[in-house]
Each structure stands twice: as C-alpha cells, then as structure tokens.
Amino acid sequence: MRVGEHDTTWPAFVFVTFEGGSGCVPERHLDAARPVATVLRGYTTQELPAVAGAEVTVLEDDPESGWSWCEDAEGRTGWVPHSCFRPA
C-alpha cells in the first residue's frame, strides 16, 4: 500500500493506493512507514449514501476521524461524516 497526502478536509485521513483501488484511510490504522505502509487495522472506505431526513443507525462512532459507521433502513452500511448529522 502506498501512502499519499493528508486529506485537506479530514486531516486524520491519508490517501492510499493499493492493488484493489484507492481511498482515504485514518492514518492511525497504518504503520509509520512512508511511502509504503502496512495496515495495522482493517478498514473499508465504503461511504453510505444518504439523503436529508433519512434515519440511520450508528453502529460504530469514530470521533477522532469525524465519521460514523452506519446502517440505513434498507440494511446497507457505510461511513457517514458527523457533519451530515443533526442532533436527535
């Protein structure tokens, strides 16, 4: 896995490329080596598409990154940024 730059909007994330594709991963899930890194904790970059007003269930909150792993009413899962939530 090759490690690129930090994301400008989400500074806890770095852009990575690997044999299967690319995406942003929390830097703390990688070892400190650059430009090639080893994954320390499994992570998926799958985001959950959501529309305003949709309800989702938070399955895992990651306050350090500003995202939560959520499930929608159809059973689909993925990451949703905290900036998309409004207090219940």
Side-chain angles (χ1 to χ4, degrees), residues 21-75:
S22 62
C24 288
V25 174
E27 187 172 30
R28 69 183 185 280
H29 293 300
L30 306 173
D31 69 7
R34 283 185 181 257
V36 178
T38 300
V39 176
L40 300 173
R41 177 179 177 221
Y43 184 82
T44 177
T45 60
Q46 176 66 42
E47 293 183 27
L48 179 65
V51 296
E55 291 187 5
V56 297
T57 301
V58 175
L59 303 174
E60 177 185 344
D61 187 38
D62 186 1
E64 187 175 340
S65 71
W67 290 69
S68 292
W69 184 256
C70 300
E71 181 176 21
D72 67 12
E74 289 78 39

